[in-house]
Amino acid sequence: MTVTQFESLLKSHGSAILGFCRHLTRDELSAQDLYQDTLLKAFSKLAKINCATKEEMLSAKNYLIGIAVRLYQNQKRRKMNYETSFTDDAEDMLFAKENVIEETEQKELHSAVRQAVDALPEKLRIVTFLFYYADMELSEIAYQLKIPQGTVKSRLNRARASIREHLKENGYEGF
């Protein structure tokens, strides 16, 4: 990959990668640091990344997300008691509706889902983020995390069950 192709990749998918870093870290400053570290690591490995076709561009995006996950996991290992905070500004904008009642209900539901996802063990939370927020396929997640595809499926199923149970406990029926 050339530097120009790398710039093109960042223009196309940089905001998605940064958004994923935000979901992963739940803190804006940590997300920016993780994003920057990811880009530096990827830039040092430009020769390994192909980006000529649209499929390769998507694969390169997933490669960068995989780098972000590994860097995040390494940081977590080094800082076991590292706590972060997350702001709901992006989620608030996502659920902006004309009807105030609907907007409030949606915010409450989104907050409950977010709390349920945040309460998941790290292994389940990372797989959930990769699947739902980064729109990665099961095989891509398995490849990036270096685990079997069946393990990814079981973690997703356990995460869904846990989220469903959390929602039931908090009065949200039918999920």
Side-chain angles (χ1 to χ4, degrees), residues 42-54:
F43 192 78
S44 70
K45 297 180 181 280
L46 280 182
K48 292 184 177 183
I49 306 171
N50 292 327
C51 204
T53 65
K54 188 174 184 176

Side-chain angles (χ1 to χ4, degrees), residues 88-122:
D88 288 335
D89 294 339
E91 284 76 19
D92 290 344
M93 292 185 336
L94 183 65
F95 287 104
K97 303 252 186 219
E98 292 180 17
N99 188 333
V100 174
I101 295 172
E102 282 184 36
E103 180 180 335
T104 303
E105 290 172 354
Q106 288 294 326
K107 284 181 183 179
E108 287 176 5
L109 177 60
H110 183 71
S111 178
V113 170
R114 185 66 193 185
Q115 287 175 352
V117 171
D118 287 345
L120 292 172
E122 186 175 317

